[in-house]
Amino acid sequence: MSSTKIKEIAVLSGKGGTGKTSLVGALAAIIPDKVLVDCDVDAPDLHLLLDPQKRKTERFLGGRKAVIRSESCTACGLCREVCNLQAISEDYRVAPFSCEGCGVCVHFCPVQAIDFPLAECGQWFVSDTRFGPLVHAQLGVAQENSGLLVALIRQQARDLAEEQGRELILIDGPPGIGCPVISSVTGTDAVLLVTEPTLSGLHDLNRVVELLRHFKIPGLVLINKFDLQAAVSRKIEDYCRENDLGLLGKLPYDPVVTQAMVAAQTIPEYAPDGLGREIGVLWERALEFLNQIKKDGHEIR
Ligand code: SF4
Ligand code: SF4
């Protein structure tokens, strides 16, 4: 759970293409005294907007990989027989990309010729941006353990917030509803759900809401580009009412979102008087909602 003082807010969308990254970038520009975390460790993209300057780089040691010591191996062939993934070659070498670290070969090797060290699965970083510190990471190609890496960078963000007296952690969540998403939202105070007015957007929203309900985390919905399909937007509004979700608001389609992205700027930097101001108003509303949660102990029922 969050410490009593530091609030953690995650932004999720269920899938890509809803404008979530632009929105997180905008909130990064608006919210003072926060720590940013990019929890999309498989395909991080917040750095494209925020141009982080790395000041700390650490190795992420995730799963284990089998390594055969050829000098100890008697070539009995048992490890090849028990490895379901055919990760061991005829000359008894382990292909690291095929090995999933189950440890079965290690267990069965009669002469203990297989080492099982922790493997480097990626890196994580603490960076400075023009809007404050950002904790982010990059998981290696074809690596597992994204949930573990997300948990690690969230803890780093908490430590940093505590150390620097920052009261809010803003989390950019990954797409989908899998392990890294669960790791991104557990223990947060609320989740901001960015959706778009399409039937698939509604379907994805529903999947994420189920997840939040399971973890008893309050959700708040923002319909982005609502005017592109007003009828579906109304369906989403009905859905929010029926599911006790706070509707934070609706944003219209606006070409400045793409223009700002191309200019590598956040929306409030690029369009401070237009969409930037609207997002600022929405954030004020989100803060009211957060204070209300504190009073009511509100959660998705
Ligand atoms: S089980 Fe052990 S001894 Fe047998 S082939 Fe594999 S590594 Fe070599
Ligand atoms: S640890 Fe598991 S996956 Fe890796 S080589 Fe051994 S048996 Fe195969």
Side-chain angles (χ1 to χ4, degrees), residues 154-187:
R154 281 190 61 199
Q155 186 55 50
Q156 294 300 323
R158 283 185 210 113
D159 292 347
L160 197 62
E162 216 142 286
E163 191 185 302
Q164 299 187 354
R166 294 175 185 263
E167 293 186 356
L168 193 132
I169 296 174
L170 182 65
I171 298 165
D172 187 9
I177 54 162
C179 181
V181 174
I182 293 169
S183 198
S184 299
V185 299
T186 45

PDB file of all heavy atoms in Angstrom, residues 154-187:
ATOM      1  N   ARG A 154       8.368   0.726  -9.107  1.00  0.00           N
ATOM      2  CA  ARG A 154       7.407   1.443  -8.255  1.00  0.00           C
ATOM      3  C   ARG A 154       7.985   1.650  -6.859  1.00  0.00           C
ATOM      4  O   ARG A 154       7.784   2.707  -6.249  1.00  0.00           O
ATOM      5  CB  ARG A 154       6.092   0.668  -8.179  1.00  0.00           C
ATOM      6  CG  ARG A 154       5.232   0.871  -9.424  1.00  0.00           C
ATOM      7  CD  ARG A 154       3.847   0.316  -9.236  1.00  0.00           C
ATOM      8  NE  ARG A 154       3.138   0.958  -8.145  1.00  0.00           N
ATOM      9  CZ  ARG A 154       2.067   0.419  -7.554  1.00  0.00           C
ATOM     10  NH1 ARG A 154       1.598  -0.738  -7.951  1.00  0.00           N
ATOM     11  NH2 ARG A 154       1.476   1.067  -6.564  1.00  0.00           N
ATOM     12  N   GLN A 155       8.695   0.659  -6.359  1.00  0.00           N
ATOM     13  CA  GLN A 155       9.309   0.816  -5.037  1.00  0.00           C
ATOM     14  C   GLN A 155      10.384   1.910  -5.074  1.00  0.00           C
ATOM     15  O   GLN A 155      10.494   2.727  -4.161  1.00  0.00           O
ATOM     16  CB  GLN A 155       9.905  -0.513  -4.560  1.00  0.00           C
ATOM     17  CG  GLN A 155      10.433  -0.453  -3.140  1.00  0.00           C
ATOM     18  CD  GLN A 155       9.381   0.021  -2.124  1.00  0.00           C
ATOM     19  OE1 GLN A 155       8.255  -0.479  -2.084  1.00  0.00           O
ATOM     20  NE2 GLN A 155       9.735   1.024  -1.318  1.00  0.00           N
ATOM     21  N   GLN A 156      11.142   1.935  -6.166  1.00  0.00           N
ATOM     22  CA  GLN A 156      12.160   2.987  -6.321  1.00  0.00           C
ATOM     23  C   GLN A 156      11.491   4.367  -6.313  1.00  0.00           C
ATOM     24  O   GLN A 156      12.008   5.319  -5.732  1.00  0.00           O
ATOM     25  CB  GLN A 156      12.938   2.807  -7.630  1.00  0.00           C
ATOM     26  CG  GLN A 156      13.791   1.557  -7.685  1.00  0.00           C
ATOM     27  CD  GLN A 156      14.833   1.516  -6.586  1.00  0.00           C
ATOM     28  OE1 GLN A 156      15.408   2.532  -6.226  1.00  0.00           O
ATOM     29  NE2 GLN A 156      15.060   0.327  -6.035  1.00  0.00           N
ATOM     30  N   ALA A 157      10.345   4.452  -6.989  1.00  0.00           N
ATOM     31  CA  ALA A 157       9.625   5.734  -7.043  1.00  0.00           C
ATOM     32  C   ALA A 157       9.149   6.151  -5.662  1.00  0.00           C
ATOM     33  O   ALA A 157       9.223   7.327  -5.286  1.00  0.00           O
ATOM     34  CB  ALA A 157       8.443   5.621  -8.012  1.00  0.00           C
ATOM     35  N   ARG A 158       8.672   5.180  -4.878  1.00  0.00           N
ATOM     36  CA  ARG A 158       8.220   5.501  -3.506  1.00  0.00           C
ATOM     37  C   ARG A 158       9.390   6.004  -2.666  1.00  0.00           C
ATOM     38  O   ARG A 158       9.279   6.987  -1.946  1.00  0.00           O
ATOM     39  CB  ARG A 158       7.620   4.257  -2.840  1.00  0.00           C
ATOM     40  CG  ARG A 158       6.242   3.948  -3.315  1.00  0.00           C
ATOM     41  CD  ARG A 158       5.661   2.782  -2.514  1.00  0.00           C
ATOM     42  NE  ARG A 158       4.733   2.070  -3.371  1.00  0.00           N
ATOM     43  CZ  ARG A 158       4.900   0.836  -3.818  1.00  0.00           C
ATOM     44  NH1 ARG A 158       5.951   0.139  -3.436  1.00  0.00           N
ATOM     45  NH2 ARG A 158       4.025   0.280  -4.623  1.00  0.00           N
ATOM     46  N   ASP A 159      10.513   5.300  -2.796  1.00  0.00           N
ATOM     47  CA  ASP A 159      11.689   5.713  -2.018  1.00  0.00           C
ATOM     48  C   ASP A 159      12.104   7.140  -2.389  1.00  0.00           C
ATOM     49  O   ASP A 159      12.422   7.961  -1.531  1.00  0.00           O
ATOM     50  CB  ASP A 159      12.867   4.756  -2.278  1.00  0.00           C
ATOM     51  CG  ASP A 159      12.596   3.363  -1.714  1.00  0.00           C
ATOM     52  OD1 ASP A 159      11.636   3.225  -0.932  1.00  0.00           O
ATOM     53  OD2 ASP A 159      13.330   2.430  -2.083  1.00  0.00           O
ATOM     54  N   LEU A 160      12.073   7.403  -3.698  1.00  0.00           N
ATOM     55  CA  LEU A 160      12.471   8.726  -4.194  1.00  0.00           C
ATOM     56  C   LEU A 160      11.500   9.807  -3.710  1.00  0.00           C
ATOM     57  O   LEU A 160      11.905  10.895  -3.278  1.00  0.00           O
ATOM     58  CB  LEU A 160      12.481   8.675  -5.725  1.00  0.00           C
ATOM     59  CG  LEU A 160      13.216   9.769  -6.466  1.00  0.00           C
ATOM     60  CD1 LEU A 160      14.693   9.735  -6.113  1.00  0.00           C
ATOM     61  CD2 LEU A 160      13.055   9.569  -7.986  1.00  0.00           C
ATOM     62  N   ALA A 161      10.200   9.488  -3.757  1.00  0.00           N
ATOM     63  CA  ALA A 161       9.186  10.454  -3.315  1.00  0.00           C
ATOM     64  C   ALA A 161       9.379  10.771  -1.833  1.00  0.00           C
ATOM     65  O   ALA A 161       9.292  11.928  -1.420  1.00  0.00           O
ATOM     66  CB  ALA A 161       7.790   9.891  -3.573  1.00  0.00           C
ATOM     67  N   GLU A 162       9.659   9.738  -1.074  1.00  0.00           N
ATOM     68  CA  GLU A 162       9.862   9.942   0.358  1.00  0.00           C
ATOM     69  C   GLU A 162      11.108  10.802   0.612  1.00  0.00           C
ATOM     70  O   GLU A 162      11.071  11.765   1.367  1.00  0.00           O
ATOM     71  CB  GLU A 162      10.009   8.597   1.050  1.00  0.00           C
ATOM     72  CG  GLU A 162       9.386   8.599   2.423  1.00  0.00           C
ATOM     73  CD  GLU A 162       8.706   7.279   2.720  1.00  0.00           C
ATOM     74  OE1 GLU A 162       7.627   7.000   2.170  1.00  0.00           O
ATOM     75  OE2 GLU A 162       9.289   6.545   3.501  1.00  0.00           O
ATOM     76  N   GLU A 163      12.163  10.426  -0.078  1.00  0.00           N
ATOM     77  CA  GLU A 163      13.459  11.119   0.081  1.00  0.00           C
ATOM     78  C   GLU A 163      13.338  12.603  -0.292  1.00  0.00           C
ATOM     79  O   GLU A 163      13.898  13.467   0.361  1.00  0.00           O
ATOM     80  CB  GLU A 163      14.418  10.407  -0.867  1.00  0.00           C
ATOM     81  CG  GLU A 163      15.866  10.715  -0.769  1.00  0.00           C
ATOM     82  CD  GLU A 163      16.572   9.968  -1.916  1.00  0.00           C
ATOM     83  OE1 GLU A 163      16.446   8.726  -1.965  1.00  0.00           O
ATOM     84  OE2 GLU A 163      17.191  10.645  -2.775  1.00  0.00           O
ATOM     85  N   GLN A 164      12.576  12.893  -1.342  1.00  0.00           N
ATOM     86  CA  GLN A 164      12.491  14.272  -1.840  1.00  0.00           C
ATOM     87  C   GLN A 164      11.233  15.002  -1.357  1.00  0.00           C
ATOM     88  O   GLN A 164      10.961  16.118  -1.795  1.00  0.00           O
ATOM     89  CB  GLN A 164      12.536  14.283  -3.375  1.00  0.00           C
ATOM     90  CG  GLN A 164      13.818  13.691  -3.935  1.00  0.00           C
ATOM     91  CD  GLN A 164      13.932  13.867  -5.432  1.00  0.00           C
ATOM     92  OE1 GLN A 164      13.017  14.346  -6.116  1.00  0.00           O
ATOM     93  NE2 GLN A 164      15.082  13.481  -5.975  1.00  0.00           N
ATOM     94  N   GLY A 165      10.446  14.357  -0.501  1.00  0.00           N
ATOM     95  CA  GLY A 165       9.241  15.001   0.033  1.00  0.00           C
ATOM     96  C   GLY A 165       8.194  15.285  -1.037  1.00  0.00           C
ATOM     97  O   GLY A 165       7.473  16.275  -0.952  1.00  0.00           O
ATOM     98  N   ARG A 166       8.069  14.396  -2.008  1.00  0.00           N
ATOM     99  CA  ARG A 166       7.054  14.578  -3.057  1.00  0.00           C
ATOM    100  C   ARG A 166       5.806  13.789  -2.670  1.00  0.00           C
ATOM    101  O   ARG A 166       5.909  12.671  -2.177  1.00  0.00           O
ATOM    102  CB  ARG A 166       7.587  14.123  -4.415  1.00  0.00           C
ATOM    103  CG  ARG A 166       8.732  14.998  -4.884  1.00  0.00           C
ATOM    104  CD  ARG A 166       9.346  14.496  -6.166  1.00  0.00           C
ATOM    105  NE  ARG A 166      10.508  15.297  -6.500  1.00  0.00           N
ATOM    106  CZ  ARG A 166      10.491  16.314  -7.340  1.00  0.00           C
ATOM    107  NH1 ARG A 166       9.374  16.649  -7.946  1.00  0.00           N
ATOM    108  NH2 ARG A 166      11.588  16.996  -7.587  1.00  0.00           N
ATOM    109  N   GLU A 167       4.621  14.382  -2.930  1.00  0.00           N
ATOM    110  CA  GLU A 167       3.415  13.796  -2.358  1.00  0.00           C
ATOM    111  C   GLU A 167       2.632  12.921  -3.307  1.00  0.00           C
ATOM    112  O   GLU A 167       1.644  12.309  -2.930  1.00  0.00           O
ATOM    113  CB  GLU A 167       2.516  14.922  -1.829  1.00  0.00           C
ATOM    114  CG  GLU A 167       3.166  15.614  -0.654  1.00  0.00           C
ATOM    115  CD  GLU A 167       2.279  16.632  -0.008  1.00  0.00           C
ATOM    116  OE1 GLU A 167       1.166  16.871  -0.512  1.00  0.00           O
ATOM    117  OE2 GLU A 167       2.729  17.209   0.999  1.00  0.00           O
ATOM    118  N   LEU A 168       3.041  12.881  -4.566  1.00  0.00           N
ATOM    119  CA  LEU A 168       2.251  12.105  -5.524  1.00  0.00           C
ATOM    120  C   LEU A 168       3.148  11.323  -6.475  1.00  0.00           C
ATOM    121  O   LEU A 168       4.206  11.815  -6.887  1.00  0.00           O
ATOM    122  CB  LEU A 168       1.353  13.064  -6.331  1.00  0.00           C
ATOM    123  CG  LEU A 168       0.261  12.367  -7.128  1.00  0.00           C
ATOM    124  CD1 LEU A 168      -1.082  13.039  -6.898  1.00  0.00           C
ATOM    125  CD2 LEU A 168       0.563  12.351  -8.610  1.00  0.00           C
ATOM    126  N   ILE A 169       2.727  10.109  -6.782  1.00  0.00           N
ATOM    127  CA  ILE A 169       3.422   9.302  -7.791  1.00  0.00           C
ATOM    128  C   ILE A 169       2.447   9.075  -8.933  1.00  0.00           C
ATOM    129  O   ILE A 169       1.329   8.575  -8.720  1.00  0.00           O
ATOM    130  CB  ILE A 169       3.898   7.956  -7.195  1.00  0.00           C
ATOM    131  CG1 ILE A 169       4.945   8.224  -6.098  1.00  0.00           C
ATOM    132  CG2 ILE A 169       4.478   7.060  -8.278  1.00  0.00           C
ATOM    133  CD1 ILE A 169       5.380   6.987  -5.341  1.00  0.00           C
ATOM    134  N   LEU A 170       2.840   9.483 -10.114  1.00  0.00           N
ATOM    135  CA  LEU A 170       1.985   9.331 -11.294  1.00  0.00           C
ATOM    136  C   LEU A 170       2.544   8.196 -12.145  1.00  0.00           C
ATOM    137  O   LEU A 170       3.681   8.251 -12.623  1.00  0.00           O
ATOM    138  CB  LEU A 170       1.964  10.640 -12.098  1.00  0.00           C
ATOM    139  CG  LEU A 170       1.074  10.634 -13.336  1.00  0.00           C
ATOM    140  CD1 LEU A 170      -0.406  10.478 -12.965  1.00  0.00           C
ATOM    141  CD2 LEU A 170       1.274  11.908 -14.156  1.00  0.00           C
ATOM    142  N   ILE A 171       1.725   7.164 -12.311  1.00  0.00           N
ATOM    143  CA  ILE A 171       2.184   5.940 -12.970  1.00  0.00           C
ATOM    144  C   ILE A 171       1.572   5.835 -14.365  1.00  0.00           C
ATOM    145  O   ILE A 171       0.347   5.869 -14.513  1.00  0.00           O
ATOM    146  CB  ILE A 171       1.742   4.705 -12.147  1.00  0.00           C
ATOM    147  CG1 ILE A 171       2.386   4.742 -10.759  1.00  0.00           C
ATOM    148  CG2 ILE A 171       2.060   3.409 -12.872  1.00  0.00           C
ATOM    149  CD1 ILE A 171       1.736   3.794  -9.755  1.00  0.00           C
ATOM    150  N   ASP A 172       2.415   5.706 -15.366  1.00  0.00           N
ATOM    151  CA  ASP A 172       1.930   5.432 -16.719  1.00  0.00           C
ATOM    152  C   ASP A 172       1.895   3.915 -16.862  1.00  0.00           C
ATOM    153  O   ASP A 172       2.936   3.255 -16.888  1.00  0.00           O
ATOM    154  CB  ASP A 172       2.902   6.055 -17.743  1.00  0.00           C
ATOM    155  CG  ASP A 172       2.355   5.955 -19.159  1.00  0.00           C
ATOM    156  OD1 ASP A 172       1.182   5.567 -19.325  1.00  0.00           O
ATOM    157  OD2 ASP A 172       3.107   6.271 -20.106  1.00  0.00           O
ATOM    158  N   GLY A 173       0.697   3.351 -16.928  1.00  0.00           N
ATOM    159  CA  GLY A 173       0.559   1.892 -16.914  1.00  0.00           C
ATOM    160  C   GLY A 173       0.724   1.277 -18.292  1.00  0.00           C
ATOM    161  O   GLY A 173       0.546   1.944 -19.302  1.00  0.00           O
ATOM    162  N   PRO A 174       1.034  -0.021 -18.330  1.00  0.00           N
ATOM    163  CA  PRO A 174       1.175  -0.711 -19.614  1.00  0.00           C
ATOM    164  C   PRO A 174      -0.196  -1.083 -20.189  1.00  0.00           C
ATOM    165  O   PRO A 174      -1.194  -1.051 -19.478  1.00  0.00           O
ATOM    166  CB  PRO A 174       1.970  -1.966 -19.246  1.00  0.00           C
ATOM    167  CG  PRO A 174       1.705  -2.186 -17.801  1.00  0.00           C
ATOM    168  CD  PRO A 174       1.332  -0.873 -17.183  1.00  0.00           C
ATOM    169  N   PRO A 175      -0.251  -1.482 -21.458  1.00  0.00           N
ATOM    170  CA  PRO A 175      -1.535  -1.911 -22.038  1.00  0.00           C
ATOM    171  C   PRO A 175      -1.917  -3.310 -21.550  1.00  0.00           C
ATOM    172  O   PRO A 175      -1.100  -4.029 -20.974  1.00  0.00           O
ATOM    173  CB  PRO A 175      -1.249  -1.917 -23.545  1.00  0.00           C
ATOM    174  CG  PRO A 175       0.218  -2.095 -23.663  1.00  0.00           C
ATOM    175  CD  PRO A 175       0.838  -1.492 -22.434  1.00  0.00           C
ATOM    176  N   GLY A 176      -3.160  -3.689 -21.806  1.00  0.00           N
ATOM    177  CA  GLY A 176      -3.624  -5.035 -21.479  1.00  0.00           C
ATOM    178  C   GLY A 176      -4.136  -5.145 -20.056  1.00  0.00           C
ATOM    179  O   GLY A 176      -4.425  -4.135 -19.392  1.00  0.00           O
ATOM    180  N   ILE A 177      -4.272  -6.390 -19.583  1.00  0.00           N
ATOM    181  CA  ILE A 177      -4.715  -6.615 -18.196  1.00  0.00           C
ATOM    182  C   ILE A 177      -3.850  -7.682 -17.542  1.00  0.00           C
ATOM    183  O   ILE A 177      -4.243  -8.304 -16.565  1.00  0.00           O
ATOM    184  CB  ILE A 177      -6.205  -7.039 -18.126  1.00  0.00           C
ATOM    185  CG1 ILE A 177      -6.462  -8.262 -19.032  1.00  0.00           C
ATOM    186  CG2 ILE A 177      -7.138  -5.918 -18.462  1.00  0.00           C
ATOM    187  CD1 ILE A 177      -7.748  -8.972 -18.694  1.00  0.00           C
ATOM    188  N   GLY A 178      -2.664  -7.910 -18.084  1.00  0.00           N
ATOM    189  CA  GLY A 178      -1.804  -8.994 -17.598  1.00  0.00           C
ATOM    190  C   GLY A 178      -1.005  -8.620 -16.365  1.00  0.00           C
ATOM    191  O   GLY A 178      -1.268  -7.618 -15.682  1.00  0.00           O
ATOM    192  N   CYS A 179       0.019  -9.428 -16.130  1.00  0.00           N
ATOM    193  CA  CYS A 179       0.832  -9.324 -14.921  1.00  0.00           C
ATOM    194  C   CYS A 179       1.428  -7.918 -14.699  1.00  0.00           C
ATOM    195  O   CYS A 179       1.342  -7.379 -13.594  1.00  0.00           O
ATOM    196  CB  CYS A 179       1.921 -10.392 -15.029  1.00  0.00           C
ATOM    197  SG  CYS A 179       2.994 -10.458 -13.655  1.00  0.00           S
ATOM    198  N   PRO A 180       2.014  -7.267 -15.740  1.00  0.00           N
ATOM    199  CA  PRO A 180       2.582  -5.942 -15.479  1.00  0.00           C
ATOM    200  C   PRO A 180       1.519  -4.898 -15.134  1.00  0.00           C
ATOM    201  O   PRO A 180       1.807  -3.953 -14.390  1.00  0.00           O
ATOM    202  CB  PRO A 180       3.298  -5.581 -16.790  1.00  0.00           C
ATOM    203  CG  PRO A 180       2.779  -6.505 -17.818  1.00  0.00           C
ATOM    204  CD  PRO A 180       2.307  -7.739 -17.109  1.00  0.00           C
ATOM    205  N   VAL A 181       0.290  -5.087 -15.644  1.00  0.00           N
ATOM    206  CA  VAL A 181      -0.784  -4.141 -15.300  1.00  0.00           C
ATOM    207  C   VAL A 181      -1.180  -4.328 -13.837  1.00  0.00           C
ATOM    208  O   VAL A 181      -1.309  -3.361 -13.087  1.00  0.00           O
ATOM    209  CB  VAL A 181      -2.009  -4.328 -16.233  1.00  0.00           C
ATOM    210  CG1 VAL A 181      -3.171  -3.457 -15.778  1.00  0.00           C
ATOM    211  CG2 VAL A 181      -1.637  -4.005 -17.659  1.00  0.00           C
ATOM    212  N   ILE A 182      -1.319  -5.580 -13.443  1.00  0.00           N
ATOM    213  CA  ILE A 182      -1.674  -5.859 -12.040  1.00  0.00           C
ATOM    214  C   ILE A 182      -0.595  -5.274 -11.128  1.00  0.00           C
ATOM    215  O   ILE A 182      -0.881  -4.622 -10.128  1.00  0.00           O
ATOM    216  CB  ILE A 182      -1.825  -7.386 -11.829  1.00  0.00           C
ATOM    217  CG1 ILE A 182      -3.038  -7.876 -12.604  1.00  0.00           C
ATOM    218  CG2 ILE A 182      -1.956  -7.723 -10.345  1.00  0.00           C
ATOM    219  CD1 ILE A 182      -3.167  -9.370 -12.703  1.00  0.00           C
ATOM    220  N   SER A 183       0.657  -5.472 -11.524  1.00  0.00           N
ATOM    221  CA  SER A 183       1.762  -4.952 -10.732  1.00  0.00           C
ATOM    222  C   SER A 183       1.752  -3.413 -10.706  1.00  0.00           C
ATOM    223  O   SER A 183       2.208  -2.806  -9.743  1.00  0.00           O
ATOM    224  CB  SER A 183       3.062  -5.476 -11.350  1.00  0.00           C
ATOM    225  OG  SER A 183       4.109  -5.375 -10.471  1.00  0.00           O
ATOM    226  N   SER A 184       1.219  -2.804 -11.761  1.00  0.00           N
ATOM    227  CA  SER A 184       1.179  -1.328 -11.845  1.00  0.00           C
ATOM    228  C   SER A 184       0.095  -0.718 -10.975  1.00  0.00           C
ATOM    229  O   SER A 184       0.194   0.438 -10.585  1.00  0.00           O
ATOM    230  CB  SER A 184       0.924  -0.867 -13.285  1.00  0.00           C
ATOM    231  OG  SER A 184       1.936  -1.308 -14.132  1.00  0.00           O
ATOM    232  N   VAL A 185      -0.986  -1.482 -10.730  1.00  0.00           N
ATOM    233  CA  VAL A 185      -2.121  -0.863 -10.026  1.00  0.00           C
ATOM    234  C   VAL A 185      -2.271  -1.298  -8.572  1.00  0.00           C
ATOM    235  O   VAL A 185      -2.934  -0.601  -7.793  1.00  0.00           O
ATOM    236  CB  VAL A 185      -3.472  -1.127 -10.754  1.00  0.00           C
ATOM    237  CG1 VAL A 185      -3.445  -0.547 -12.145  1.00  0.00           C
ATOM    238  CG2 VAL A 185      -3.839  -2.604 -10.775  1.00  0.00           C
ATOM    239  N   THR A 186      -1.673  -2.429  -8.187  1.00  0.00           N
ATOM    240  CA  THR A 186      -1.896  -2.885  -6.809  1.00  0.00           C
ATOM    241  C   THR A 186      -1.374  -1.841  -5.816  1.00  0.00           C
ATOM    242  O   THR A 186      -0.269  -1.329  -5.969  1.00  0.00           O
ATOM    243  CB  THR A 186      -1.203  -4.241  -6.529  1.00  0.00           C
ATOM    244  OG1 THR A 186       0.109  -4.176  -7.072  1.00  0.00           O
ATOM    245  CG2 THR A 186      -1.938  -5.395  -7.132  1.00  0.00           C
ATOM    246  N   GLY A 187      -2.212  -1.529  -4.863  1.00  0.00           N
ATOM    247  CA  GLY A 187      -1.816  -0.575  -3.822  1.00  0.00           C
ATOM    248  C   GLY A 187      -1.933   0.878  -4.234  1.00  0.00           C
ATOM    249  O   GLY A 187      -1.601   1.760  -3.446  1.00  0.00           O
TER     250      GLY A 187
END
